[in-house]
Amino acid sequence: MGTVSLPPFQAVVDDHREDLLRFLVALVGRQEADDCFQETLTSAIRAYPRLDRRANVRAWLFTIARRKAIDSHRARRRRGIGVDPELWALVRALPPKQRGAVALRFVAGLSHAEVAEALGCSEEAARQSLYAGLTKLRKEWTP
């Protein structure tokens, strides 16, 4: 049996570009998403050669993107920049694990298992974060 190899990095980017951008727009807004996307790719290309060949590349990319979004969120809070539409502002105001779970599940379309992997927690913890985030959004958002 031969060794499993990772696809070329550009193929990975091409496969996941749109989903990553949608995910980042949901987390940080349109203005910040492009910068977060570029930072995600920069970090990913540096780490890609060391990635375990059996890794879930999609979940790995979303993990990096989520971390970049958290960094952006913290920086935006320090800069005091206003928020975008009300719902996304509420999503961005959720605690980090809830925010990540909501965006990974509904924006990126990841399964609960992939959300768990991207968040670095158990599937049950990912489901709990998702449930808590959605509960809070339902209470606070009035369309």
PDB file of all heavy atoms in Angstrom, residues 14-54:
ATOM      1  N   ASP A  14      -8.152  26.242  -3.905  1.00  0.00           N
ATOM      2  CA  ASP A  14      -9.216  26.318  -4.914  1.00  0.00           C
ATOM      3  C   ASP A  14     -10.472  25.593  -4.445  1.00  0.00           C
ATOM      4  O   ASP A  14     -11.588  26.084  -4.653  1.00  0.00           O
ATOM      5  CB  ASP A  14      -8.752  25.720  -6.243  1.00  0.00           C
ATOM      6  CG  ASP A  14      -7.679  26.572  -6.921  1.00  0.00           C
ATOM      7  OD1 ASP A  14      -7.499  27.747  -6.543  1.00  0.00           O
ATOM      8  OD2 ASP A  14      -7.016  26.037  -7.835  1.00  0.00           O
ATOM      9  N   ASP A  15     -10.308  24.459  -3.787  1.00  0.00           N
ATOM     10  CA  ASP A  15     -11.453  23.665  -3.316  1.00  0.00           C
ATOM     11  C   ASP A  15     -12.223  24.352  -2.188  1.00  0.00           C
ATOM     12  O   ASP A  15     -13.422  24.133  -2.043  1.00  0.00           O
ATOM     13  CB  ASP A  15     -10.999  22.286  -2.820  1.00  0.00           C
ATOM     14  CG  ASP A  15     -10.609  21.357  -3.957  1.00  0.00           C
ATOM     15  OD1 ASP A  15     -10.906  21.679  -5.131  1.00  0.00           O
ATOM     16  OD2 ASP A  15     -10.006  20.316  -3.662  1.00  0.00           O
ATOM     17  N   HIS A  16     -11.543  25.151  -1.376  1.00  0.00           N
ATOM     18  CA  HIS A  16     -12.163  25.669  -0.154  1.00  0.00           C
ATOM     19  C   HIS A  16     -12.267  27.192  -0.088  1.00  0.00           C
ATOM     20  O   HIS A  16     -12.812  27.722   0.885  1.00  0.00           O
ATOM     21  CB  HIS A  16     -11.403  25.141   1.068  1.00  0.00           C
ATOM     22  CG  HIS A  16     -11.369  23.653   1.119  1.00  0.00           C
ATOM     23  ND1 HIS A  16     -12.486  22.890   1.344  1.00  0.00           N
ATOM     24  CD2 HIS A  16     -10.348  22.773   0.920  1.00  0.00           C
ATOM     25  CE1 HIS A  16     -12.162  21.605   1.303  1.00  0.00           C
ATOM     26  NE2 HIS A  16     -10.876  21.518   1.042  1.00  0.00           N
ATOM     27  N   ARG A  17     -11.795  27.880  -1.092  1.00  0.00           N
ATOM     28  CA  ARG A  17     -11.755  29.351  -1.112  1.00  0.00           C
ATOM     29  C   ARG A  17     -13.113  29.980  -0.786  1.00  0.00           C
ATOM     30  O   ARG A  17     -13.224  30.795   0.123  1.00  0.00           O
ATOM     31  CB  ARG A  17     -11.273  29.856  -2.468  1.00  0.00           C
ATOM     32  CG  ARG A  17     -11.371  31.361  -2.645  1.00  0.00           C
ATOM     33  CD  ARG A  17     -10.996  31.806  -4.061  1.00  0.00           C
ATOM     34  NE  ARG A  17      -9.738  31.258  -4.495  1.00  0.00           N
ATOM     35  CZ  ARG A  17      -8.537  31.786  -4.209  1.00  0.00           C
ATOM     36  NH1 ARG A  17      -8.466  32.868  -3.473  1.00  0.00           N
ATOM     37  NH2 ARG A  17      -7.431  31.227  -4.650  1.00  0.00           N
ATOM     38  N   GLU A  18     -14.144  29.628  -1.522  1.00  0.00           N
ATOM     39  CA  GLU A  18     -15.453  30.270  -1.346  1.00  0.00           C
ATOM     40  C   GLU A  18     -16.035  30.004   0.042  1.00  0.00           C
ATOM     41  O   GLU A  18     -16.584  30.905   0.671  1.00  0.00           O
ATOM     42  CB  GLU A  18     -16.419  29.821  -2.443  1.00  0.00           C
ATOM     43  CG  GLU A  18     -16.016  30.283  -3.831  1.00  0.00           C
ATOM     44  CD  GLU A  18     -15.839  31.794  -3.938  1.00  0.00           C
ATOM     45  OE1 GLU A  18     -16.695  32.530  -3.408  1.00  0.00           O
ATOM     46  OE2 GLU A  18     -14.838  32.230  -4.536  1.00  0.00           O
ATOM     47  N   ASP A  19     -15.928  28.757   0.506  1.00  0.00           N
ATOM     48  CA  ASP A  19     -16.449  28.422   1.835  1.00  0.00           C
ATOM     49  C   ASP A  19     -15.697  29.178   2.926  1.00  0.00           C
ATOM     50  O   ASP A  19     -16.303  29.670   3.877  1.00  0.00           O
ATOM     51  CB  ASP A  19     -16.369  26.917   2.097  1.00  0.00           C
ATOM     52  CG  ASP A  19     -17.325  26.130   1.222  1.00  0.00           C
ATOM     53  OD1 ASP A  19     -18.318  26.706   0.734  1.00  0.00           O
ATOM     54  OD2 ASP A  19     -17.070  24.927   1.033  1.00  0.00           O
ATOM     55  N   LEU A  20     -14.387  29.266   2.795  1.00  0.00           N
ATOM     56  CA  LEU A  20     -13.595  29.999   3.786  1.00  0.00           C
ATOM     57  C   LEU A  20     -13.963  31.480   3.802  1.00  0.00           C
ATOM     58  O   LEU A  20     -14.114  32.076   4.868  1.00  0.00           O
ATOM     59  CB  LEU A  20     -12.093  29.843   3.501  1.00  0.00           C
ATOM     60  CG  LEU A  20     -11.456  28.529   3.907  1.00  0.00           C
ATOM     61  CD1 LEU A  20     -10.068  28.406   3.290  1.00  0.00           C
ATOM     62  CD2 LEU A  20     -11.387  28.397   5.417  1.00  0.00           C
ATOM     63  N   LEU A  21     -14.127  32.052   2.621  1.00  0.00           N
ATOM     64  CA  LEU A  21     -14.487  33.471   2.568  1.00  0.00           C
ATOM     65  C   LEU A  21     -15.868  33.724   3.171  1.00  0.00           C
ATOM     66  O   LEU A  21     -16.049  34.679   3.933  1.00  0.00           O
ATOM     67  CB  LEU A  21     -14.426  33.980   1.124  1.00  0.00           C
ATOM     68  CG  LEU A  21     -13.020  34.321   0.628  1.00  0.00           C
ATOM     69  CD1 LEU A  21     -13.016  34.551  -0.877  1.00  0.00           C
ATOM     70  CD2 LEU A  21     -12.482  35.545   1.347  1.00  0.00           C
ATOM     71  N   ARG A  22     -16.849  32.876   2.857  1.00  0.00           N
ATOM     72  CA  ARG A  22     -18.187  33.026   3.452  1.00  0.00           C
ATOM     73  C   ARG A  22     -18.114  32.925   4.973  1.00  0.00           C
ATOM     74  O   ARG A  22     -18.750  33.684   5.702  1.00  0.00           O
ATOM     75  CB  ARG A  22     -19.152  31.978   2.899  1.00  0.00           C
ATOM     76  CG  ARG A  22     -19.824  32.390   1.615  1.00  0.00           C
ATOM     77  CD  ARG A  22     -21.010  31.498   1.289  1.00  0.00           C
ATOM     78  NE  ARG A  22     -20.688  30.085   1.243  1.00  0.00           N
ATOM     79  CZ  ARG A  22     -20.220  29.450   0.174  1.00  0.00           C
ATOM     80  NH1 ARG A  22     -20.013  30.095  -0.949  1.00  0.00           N
ATOM     81  NH2 ARG A  22     -19.949  28.160   0.235  1.00  0.00           N
ATOM     82  N   PHE A  23     -17.358  31.960   5.437  1.00  0.00           N
ATOM     83  CA  PHE A  23     -17.175  31.753   6.871  1.00  0.00           C
ATOM     84  C   PHE A  23     -16.577  33.002   7.516  1.00  0.00           C
ATOM     85  O   PHE A  23     -17.065  33.496   8.531  1.00  0.00           O
ATOM     86  CB  PHE A  23     -16.274  30.532   7.069  1.00  0.00           C
ATOM     87  CG  PHE A  23     -15.836  30.288   8.475  1.00  0.00           C
ATOM     88  CD1 PHE A  23     -16.742  29.912   9.445  1.00  0.00           C
ATOM     89  CD2 PHE A  23     -14.503  30.397   8.824  1.00  0.00           C
ATOM     90  CE1 PHE A  23     -16.332  29.661  10.746  1.00  0.00           C
ATOM     91  CE2 PHE A  23     -14.079  30.149  10.113  1.00  0.00           C
ATOM     92  CZ  PHE A  23     -14.995  29.785  11.080  1.00  0.00           C
ATOM     93  N   LEU A  24     -15.535  33.535   6.910  1.00  0.00           N
ATOM     94  CA  LEU A  24     -14.874  34.706   7.478  1.00  0.00           C
ATOM     95  C   LEU A  24     -15.757  35.951   7.416  1.00  0.00           C
ATOM     96  O   LEU A  24     -15.766  36.752   8.354  1.00  0.00           O
ATOM     97  CB  LEU A  24     -13.529  34.944   6.777  1.00  0.00           C
ATOM     98  CG  LEU A  24     -12.452  33.913   7.136  1.00  0.00           C
ATOM     99  CD1 LEU A  24     -11.272  33.993   6.182  1.00  0.00           C
ATOM    100  CD2 LEU A  24     -12.010  34.069   8.580  1.00  0.00           C
ATOM    101  N   VAL A  25     -16.514  36.125   6.336  1.00  0.00           N
ATOM    102  CA  VAL A  25     -17.441  37.254   6.254  1.00  0.00           C
ATOM    103  C   VAL A  25     -18.446  37.163   7.392  1.00  0.00           C
ATOM    104  O   VAL A  25     -18.783  38.161   8.033  1.00  0.00           O
ATOM    105  CB  VAL A  25     -18.142  37.314   4.878  1.00  0.00           C
ATOM    106  CG1 VAL A  25     -19.329  38.272   4.904  1.00  0.00           C
ATOM    107  CG2 VAL A  25     -17.153  37.726   3.793  1.00  0.00           C
ATOM    108  N   ALA A  26     -18.932  35.955   7.665  1.00  0.00           N
ATOM    109  CA  ALA A  26     -19.902  35.779   8.745  1.00  0.00           C
ATOM    110  C   ALA A  26     -19.299  36.126  10.103  1.00  0.00           C
ATOM    111  O   ALA A  26     -19.973  36.683  10.959  1.00  0.00           O
ATOM    112  CB  ALA A  26     -20.427  34.345   8.760  1.00  0.00           C
ATOM    113  N   LEU A  27     -18.038  35.809  10.286  1.00  0.00           N
ATOM    114  CA  LEU A  27     -17.411  36.047  11.586  1.00  0.00           C
ATOM    115  C   LEU A  27     -16.916  37.474  11.780  1.00  0.00           C
ATOM    116  O   LEU A  27     -17.035  38.022  12.872  1.00  0.00           O
ATOM    117  CB  LEU A  27     -16.240  35.083  11.803  1.00  0.00           C
ATOM    118  CG  LEU A  27     -16.584  33.628  12.058  1.00  0.00           C
ATOM    119  CD1 LEU A  27     -15.318  32.831  12.314  1.00  0.00           C
ATOM    120  CD2 LEU A  27     -17.526  33.491  13.229  1.00  0.00           C
ATOM    121  N   VAL A  28     -16.340  38.053  10.732  1.00  0.00           N
ATOM    122  CA  VAL A  28     -15.678  39.346  10.926  1.00  0.00           C
ATOM    123  C   VAL A  28     -16.214  40.456  10.031  1.00  0.00           C
ATOM    124  O   VAL A  28     -15.797  41.603  10.167  1.00  0.00           O
ATOM    125  CB  VAL A  28     -14.140  39.234  10.731  1.00  0.00           C
ATOM    126  CG1 VAL A  28     -13.542  38.292  11.739  1.00  0.00           C
ATOM    127  CG2 VAL A  28     -13.778  38.850   9.319  1.00  0.00           C
ATOM    128  N   GLY A  29     -17.117  40.158   9.114  1.00  0.00           N
ATOM    129  CA  GLY A  29     -17.639  41.175   8.199  1.00  0.00           C
ATOM    130  C   GLY A  29     -16.827  41.240   6.920  1.00  0.00           C
ATOM    131  O   GLY A  29     -15.697  40.763   6.845  1.00  0.00           O
ATOM    132  N   ARG A  30     -17.432  41.830   5.908  1.00  0.00           N
ATOM    133  CA  ARG A  30     -16.822  41.895   4.573  1.00  0.00           C
ATOM    134  C   ARG A  30     -15.476  42.612   4.593  1.00  0.00           C
ATOM    135  O   ARG A  30     -14.519  42.171   3.968  1.00  0.00           O
ATOM    136  CB  ARG A  30     -17.817  42.579   3.630  1.00  0.00           C
ATOM    137  CG  ARG A  30     -17.330  42.990   2.275  1.00  0.00           C
ATOM    138  CD  ARG A  30     -16.606  42.016   1.397  1.00  0.00           C
ATOM    139  NE  ARG A  30     -17.140  40.709   1.182  1.00  0.00           N
ATOM    140  CZ  ARG A  30     -16.372  39.657   0.872  1.00  0.00           C
ATOM    141  NH1 ARG A  30     -15.070  39.757   0.781  1.00  0.00           N
ATOM    142  NH2 ARG A  30     -16.906  38.483   0.663  1.00  0.00           N
ATOM    143  N   GLN A  31     -15.385  43.732   5.297  1.00  0.00           N
ATOM    144  CA  GLN A  31     -14.151  44.522   5.273  1.00  0.00           C
ATOM    145  C   GLN A  31     -12.954  43.751   5.815  1.00  0.00           C
ATOM    146  O   GLN A  31     -11.856  43.877   5.300  1.00  0.00           O
ATOM    147  CB  GLN A  31     -14.327  45.812   6.056  1.00  0.00           C
ATOM    148  CG  GLN A  31     -15.251  46.802   5.373  1.00  0.00           C
ATOM    149  CD  GLN A  31     -15.406  48.067   6.168  1.00  0.00           C
ATOM    150  OE1 GLN A  31     -15.475  48.035   7.391  1.00  0.00           O
ATOM    151  NE2 GLN A  31     -15.456  49.192   5.480  1.00  0.00           N
ATOM    152  N   GLU A  32     -13.164  42.976   6.864  1.00  0.00           N
ATOM    153  CA  GLU A  32     -12.063  42.257   7.507  1.00  0.00           C
ATOM    154  C   GLU A  32     -11.800  40.887   6.879  1.00  0.00           C
ATOM    155  O   GLU A  32     -10.730  40.316   7.059  1.00  0.00           O
ATOM    156  CB  GLU A  32     -12.376  42.053   8.997  1.00  0.00           C
ATOM    157  CG  GLU A  32     -12.630  43.327   9.761  1.00  0.00           C
ATOM    158  CD  GLU A  32     -11.372  44.099  10.072  1.00  0.00           C
ATOM    159  OE1 GLU A  32     -10.311  43.484  10.250  1.00  0.00           O
ATOM    160  OE2 GLU A  32     -11.461  45.332  10.132  1.00  0.00           O
ATOM    161  N   ALA A  33     -12.799  40.353   6.171  1.00  0.00           N
ATOM    162  CA  ALA A  33     -12.711  38.967   5.689  1.00  0.00           C
ATOM    163  C   ALA A  33     -11.524  38.741   4.749  1.00  0.00           C
ATOM    164  O   ALA A  33     -10.838  37.726   4.857  1.00  0.00           O
ATOM    165  CB  ALA A  33     -14.015  38.559   5.009  1.00  0.00           C
ATOM    166  N   ASP A  34     -11.293  39.664   3.836  1.00  0.00           N
ATOM    167  CA  ASP A  34     -10.198  39.471   2.881  1.00  0.00           C
ATOM    168  C   ASP A  34      -8.841  39.411   3.584  1.00  0.00           C
ATOM    169  O   ASP A  34      -8.006  38.566   3.255  1.00  0.00           O
ATOM    170  CB  ASP A  34     -10.200  40.566   1.816  1.00  0.00           C
ATOM    171  CG  ASP A  34     -11.388  40.431   0.867  1.00  0.00           C
ATOM    172  OD1 ASP A  34     -11.876  39.309   0.671  1.00  0.00           O
ATOM    173  OD2 ASP A  34     -11.825  41.468   0.337  1.00  0.00           O
ATOM    174  N   ASP A  35      -8.653  40.295   4.560  1.00  0.00           N
ATOM    175  CA  ASP A  35      -7.390  40.269   5.312  1.00  0.00           C
ATOM    176  C   ASP A  35      -7.251  38.960   6.096  1.00  0.00           C
ATOM    177  O   ASP A  35      -6.176  38.351   6.107  1.00  0.00           O
ATOM    178  CB  ASP A  35      -7.300  41.448   6.278  1.00  0.00           C
ATOM    179  CG  ASP A  35      -7.070  42.772   5.562  1.00  0.00           C
ATOM    180  OD1 ASP A  35      -6.630  42.751   4.386  1.00  0.00           O
ATOM    181  OD2 ASP A  35      -7.316  43.817   6.176  1.00  0.00           O
ATOM    182  N   CYS A  36      -8.324  38.539   6.743  1.00  0.00           N
ATOM    183  CA  CYS A  36      -8.290  37.272   7.486  1.00  0.00           C
ATOM    184  C   CYS A  36      -8.013  36.100   6.555  1.00  0.00           C
ATOM    185  O   CYS A  36      -7.284  35.170   6.909  1.00  0.00           O
ATOM    186  CB  CYS A  36      -9.607  37.040   8.224  1.00  0.00           C
ATOM    187  SG  CYS A  36      -9.802  38.043   9.694  1.00  0.00           S
ATOM    188  N   PHE A  37      -8.610  36.147   5.369  1.00  0.00           N
ATOM    189  CA  PHE A  37      -8.399  35.077   4.391  1.00  0.00           C
ATOM    190  C   PHE A  37      -6.919  35.005   4.000  1.00  0.00           C
ATOM    191  O   PHE A  37      -6.331  33.922   3.969  1.00  0.00           O
ATOM    192  CB  PHE A  37      -9.278  35.308   3.158  1.00  0.00           C
ATOM    193  CG  PHE A  37      -9.131  34.261   2.103  1.00  0.00           C
ATOM    194  CD1 PHE A  37      -9.653  32.991   2.291  1.00  0.00           C
ATOM    195  CD2 PHE A  37      -8.470  34.539   0.924  1.00  0.00           C
ATOM    196  CE1 PHE A  37      -9.512  32.011   1.313  1.00  0.00           C
ATOM    197  CE2 PHE A  37      -8.333  33.574  -0.057  1.00  0.00           C
ATOM    198  CZ  PHE A  37      -8.851  32.305   0.136  1.00  0.00           C
ATOM    199  N   GLN A  38      -6.326  36.158   3.713  1.00  0.00           N
ATOM    200  CA  GLN A  38      -4.910  36.179   3.348  1.00  0.00           C
ATOM    201  C   GLN A  38      -4.026  35.693   4.498  1.00  0.00           C
ATOM    202  O   GLN A  38      -3.067  34.943   4.284  1.00  0.00           O
ATOM    203  CB  GLN A  38      -4.492  37.588   2.906  1.00  0.00           C
ATOM    204  CG  GLN A  38      -5.122  38.031   1.604  1.00  0.00           C
ATOM    205  CD  GLN A  38      -4.889  37.049   0.470  1.00  0.00           C
ATOM    206  OE1 GLN A  38      -3.794  36.510   0.297  1.00  0.00           O
ATOM    207  NE2 GLN A  38      -5.933  36.797  -0.306  1.00  0.00           N
ATOM    208  N   GLU A  39      -4.366  36.096   5.716  1.00  0.00           N
ATOM    209  CA  GLU A  39      -3.604  35.629   6.878  1.00  0.00           C
ATOM    210  C   GLU A  39      -3.776  34.125   7.071  1.00  0.00           C
ATOM    211  O   GLU A  39      -2.827  33.430   7.454  1.00  0.00           O
ATOM    212  CB  GLU A  39      -4.034  36.392   8.118  1.00  0.00           C
ATOM    213  CG  GLU A  39      -3.605  37.847   8.092  1.00  0.00           C
ATOM    214  CD  GLU A  39      -4.159  38.643   9.265  1.00  0.00           C
ATOM    215  OE1 GLU A  39      -4.511  38.035  10.292  1.00  0.00           O
ATOM    216  OE2 GLU A  39      -4.227  39.879   9.142  1.00  0.00           O
ATOM    217  N   THR A  40      -4.975  33.634   6.804  1.00  0.00           N
ATOM    218  CA  THR A  40      -5.225  32.194   6.893  1.00  0.00           C
ATOM    219  C   THR A  40      -4.347  31.446   5.899  1.00  0.00           C
ATOM    220  O   THR A  40      -3.691  30.459   6.255  1.00  0.00           O
ATOM    221  CB  THR A  40      -6.716  31.887   6.615  1.00  0.00           C
ATOM    222  OG1 THR A  40      -7.512  32.519   7.618  1.00  0.00           O
ATOM    223  CG2 THR A  40      -6.984  30.385   6.601  1.00  0.00           C
ATOM    224  N   LEU A  41      -4.322  31.912   4.662  1.00  0.00           N
ATOM    225  CA  LEU A  41      -3.510  31.246   3.637  1.00  0.00           C
ATOM    226  C   LEU A  41      -2.022  31.320   3.957  1.00  0.00           C
ATOM    227  O   LEU A  41      -1.291  30.345   3.752  1.00  0.00           O
ATOM    228  CB  LEU A  41      -3.781  31.848   2.262  1.00  0.00           C
ATOM    229  CG  LEU A  41      -5.172  31.634   1.698  1.00  0.00           C
ATOM    230  CD1 LEU A  41      -5.262  32.188   0.280  1.00  0.00           C
ATOM    231  CD2 LEU A  41      -5.563  30.164   1.712  1.00  0.00           C
ATOM    232  N   THR A  42      -1.583  32.457   4.475  1.00  0.00           N
ATOM    233  CA  THR A  42      -0.166  32.602   4.832  1.00  0.00           C
ATOM    234  C   THR A  42       0.222  31.594   5.913  1.00  0.00           C
ATOM    235  O   THR A  42       1.242  30.906   5.795  1.00  0.00           O
ATOM    236  CB  THR A  42       0.119  34.039   5.307  1.00  0.00           C
ATOM    237  OG1 THR A  42      -0.200  34.943   4.247  1.00  0.00           O
ATOM    238  CG2 THR A  42       1.568  34.209   5.710  1.00  0.00           C
ATOM    239  N   SER A  43      -0.607  31.489   6.937  1.00  0.00           N
ATOM    240  CA  SER A  43      -0.319  30.517   8.002  1.00  0.00           C
ATOM    241  C   SER A  43      -0.413  29.093   7.485  1.00  0.00           C
ATOM    242  O   SER A  43       0.410  28.236   7.826  1.00  0.00           O
ATOM    243  CB  SER A  43      -1.306  30.703   9.160  1.00  0.00           C
ATOM    244  OG  SER A  43      -1.082  31.920   9.805  1.00  0.00           O
ATOM    245  N   ALA A  44      -1.422  28.834   6.675  1.00  0.00           N
ATOM    246  CA  ALA A  44      -1.642  27.473   6.175  1.00  0.00           C
ATOM    247  C   ALA A  44      -0.502  27.011   5.272  1.00  0.00           C
ATOM    248  O   ALA A  44      -0.041  25.874   5.392  1.00  0.00           O
ATOM    249  CB  ALA A  44      -2.982  27.389   5.436  1.00  0.00           C
ATOM    250  N   ILE A  45      -0.033  27.874   4.378  1.00  0.00           N
ATOM    251  CA  ILE A  45       1.026  27.442   3.454  1.00  0.00           C
ATOM    252  C   ILE A  45       2.327  27.156   4.206  1.00  0.00           C
ATOM    253  O   ILE A  45       3.085  26.263   3.838  1.00  0.00           O
ATOM    254  CB  ILE A  45       1.241  28.437   2.305  1.00  0.00           C
ATOM    255  CG1 ILE A  45       1.986  27.747   1.154  1.00  0.00           C
ATOM    256  CG2 ILE A  45       1.949  29.688   2.768  1.00  0.00           C
ATOM    257  CD1 ILE A  45       1.942  28.493  -0.138  1.00  0.00           C
ATOM    258  N   ARG A  46       2.554  27.905   5.298  1.00  0.00           N
ATOM    259  CA  ARG A  46       3.756  27.641   6.107  1.00  0.00           C
ATOM    260  C   ARG A  46       3.670  26.281   6.797  1.00  0.00           C
ATOM    261  O   ARG A  46       4.662  25.571   6.924  1.00  0.00           O
ATOM    262  CB  ARG A  46       3.932  28.725   7.161  1.00  0.00           C
ATOM    263  CG  ARG A  46       4.405  30.025   6.613  1.00  0.00           C
ATOM    264  CD  ARG A  46       4.636  31.031   7.726  1.00  0.00           C
ATOM    265  NE  ARG A  46       4.925  32.335   7.170  1.00  0.00           N
ATOM    266  CZ  ARG A  46       4.413  33.461   7.604  1.00  0.00           C
ATOM    267  NH1 ARG A  46       3.596  33.467   8.644  1.00  0.00           N
ATOM    268  NH2 ARG A  46       4.712  34.604   7.041  1.00  0.00           N
ATOM    269  N   ALA A  47       2.476  25.938   7.280  1.00  0.00           N
ATOM    270  CA  ALA A  47       2.302  24.695   8.036  1.00  0.00           C
ATOM    271  C   ALA A  47       1.996  23.486   7.152  1.00  0.00           C
ATOM    272  O   ALA A  47       2.154  22.353   7.593  1.00  0.00           O
ATOM    273  CB  ALA A  47       1.176  24.873   9.056  1.00  0.00           C
ATOM    274  N   TYR A  48       1.568  23.715   5.937  1.00  0.00           N
ATOM    275  CA  TYR A  48       1.098  22.632   5.068  1.00  0.00           C
ATOM    276  C   TYR A  48       2.107  21.491   4.884  1.00  0.00           C
ATOM    277  O   TYR A  48       1.724  20.322   4.962  1.00  0.00           O
ATOM    278  CB  TYR A  48       0.672  23.206   3.711  1.00  0.00           C
ATOM    279  CG  TYR A  48      -0.140  22.254   2.862  1.00  0.00           C
ATOM    280  CD1 TYR A  48      -1.408  21.848   3.260  1.00  0.00           C
ATOM    281  CD2 TYR A  48       0.356  21.777   1.654  1.00  0.00           C
ATOM    282  CE1 TYR A  48      -2.170  20.997   2.483  1.00  0.00           C
ATOM    283  CE2 TYR A  48      -0.398  20.926   0.872  1.00  0.00           C
ATOM    284  CZ  TYR A  48      -1.656  20.541   1.285  1.00  0.00           C
ATOM    285  OH  TYR A  48      -2.395  19.687   0.515  1.00  0.00           O
ATOM    286  N   PRO A  49       3.381  21.785   4.680  1.00  0.00           N
ATOM    287  CA  PRO A  49       4.336  20.677   4.485  1.00  0.00           C
ATOM    288  C   PRO A  49       4.447  19.748   5.702  1.00  0.00           C
ATOM    289  O   PRO A  49       4.822  18.594   5.567  1.00  0.00           O
ATOM    290  CB  PRO A  49       5.674  21.383   4.235  1.00  0.00           C
ATOM    291  CG  PRO A  49       5.302  22.746   3.752  1.00  0.00           C
ATOM    292  CD  PRO A  49       4.019  23.089   4.459  1.00  0.00           C
ATOM    293  N   ARG A  50       4.099  20.247   6.891  1.00  0.00           N
ATOM    294  CA  ARG A  50       4.196  19.438   8.107  1.00  0.00           C
ATOM    295  C   ARG A  50       2.870  18.798   8.500  1.00  0.00           C
ATOM    296  O   ARG A  50       2.793  18.079   9.499  1.00  0.00           O
ATOM    297  CB  ARG A  50       4.698  20.306   9.267  1.00  0.00           C
ATOM    298  CG  ARG A  50       6.095  20.852   9.046  1.00  0.00           C
ATOM    299  CD  ARG A  50       6.581  21.696  10.210  1.00  0.00           C
ATOM    300  NE  ARG A  50       5.694  22.785  10.588  1.00  0.00           N
ATOM    301  CZ  ARG A  50       5.617  23.967   9.979  1.00  0.00           C
ATOM    302  NH1 ARG A  50       6.376  24.205   8.931  1.00  0.00           N
ATOM    303  NH2 ARG A  50       4.789  24.901  10.408  1.00  0.00           N
ATOM    304  N   LEU A  51       1.815  19.053   7.732  1.00  0.00           N
ATOM    305  CA  LEU A  51       0.492  18.534   8.054  1.00  0.00           C
ATOM    306  C   LEU A  51       0.470  17.015   7.907  1.00  0.00           C
ATOM    307  O   LEU A  51       1.002  16.475   6.939  1.00  0.00           O
ATOM    308  CB  LEU A  51      -0.554  19.162   7.126  1.00  0.00           C
ATOM    309  CG  LEU A  51      -2.004  18.808   7.392  1.00  0.00           C
ATOM    310  CD1 LEU A  51      -2.452  19.313   8.763  1.00  0.00           C
ATOM    311  CD2 LEU A  51      -2.890  19.407   6.302  1.00  0.00           C
ATOM    312  N   ASP A  52      -0.131  16.346   8.870  1.00  0.00           N
ATOM    313  CA  ASP A  52      -0.292  14.896   8.809  1.00  0.00           C
ATOM    314  C   ASP A  52      -1.054  14.542   7.540  1.00  0.00           C
ATOM    315  O   ASP A  52      -2.099  15.114   7.253  1.00  0.00           O
ATOM    316  CB  ASP A  52      -1.061  14.417  10.051  1.00  0.00           C
ATOM    317  CG  ASP A  52      -1.185  12.908  10.127  1.00  0.00           C
ATOM    318  OD1 ASP A  52      -1.320  12.241   9.081  1.00  0.00           O
ATOM    319  OD2 ASP A  52      -1.161  12.391  11.254  1.00  0.00           O
ATOM    320  N   ARG A  53      -0.551  13.614   6.799  1.00  0.00           N
ATOM    321  CA  ARG A  53      -1.138  13.227   5.506  1.00  0.00           C
ATOM    322  C   ARG A  53      -2.566  12.707   5.637  1.00  0.00           C
ATOM    323  O   ARG A  53      -3.319  12.695   4.697  1.00  0.00           O
ATOM    324  CB  ARG A  53      -0.279  12.178   4.793  1.00  0.00           C
ATOM    325  CG  ARG A  53       1.161  12.595   4.541  1.00  0.00           C
ATOM    326  CD  ARG A  53       1.203  13.864   3.715  1.00  0.00           C
ATOM    327  NE  ARG A  53       2.557  14.213   3.331  1.00  0.00           N
ATOM    328  CZ  ARG A  53       3.084  15.402   3.525  1.00  0.00           C
ATOM    329  NH1 ARG A  53       2.417  16.340   4.124  1.00  0.00           N
ATOM    330  NH2 ARG A  53       4.299  15.677   3.123  1.00  0.00           N
ATOM    331  N   ARG A  54      -2.946  12.264   6.840  1.00  0.00           N
ATOM    332  CA  ARG A  54      -4.302  11.734   7.049  1.00  0.00           C
ATOM    333  C   ARG A  54      -5.246  12.796   7.593  1.00  0.00           C
ATOM    334  O   ARG A  54      -6.401  12.527   7.864  1.00  0.00           O
ATOM    335  CB  ARG A  54      -4.252  10.560   8.025  1.00  0.00           C
ATOM    336  CG  ARG A  54      -3.456   9.362   7.475  1.00  0.00           C
ATOM    337  CD  ARG A  54      -3.123   8.443   8.588  1.00  0.00           C
ATOM    338  NE  ARG A  54      -2.330   9.242   9.550  1.00  0.00           N
ATOM    339  CZ  ARG A  54      -1.555   8.763  10.487  1.00  0.00           C
ATOM    340  NH1 ARG A  54      -1.483   7.480  10.665  1.00  0.00           N
ATOM    341  NH2 ARG A  54      -0.863   9.532  11.292  1.00  0.00           N
TER     342      ARG A  54
END
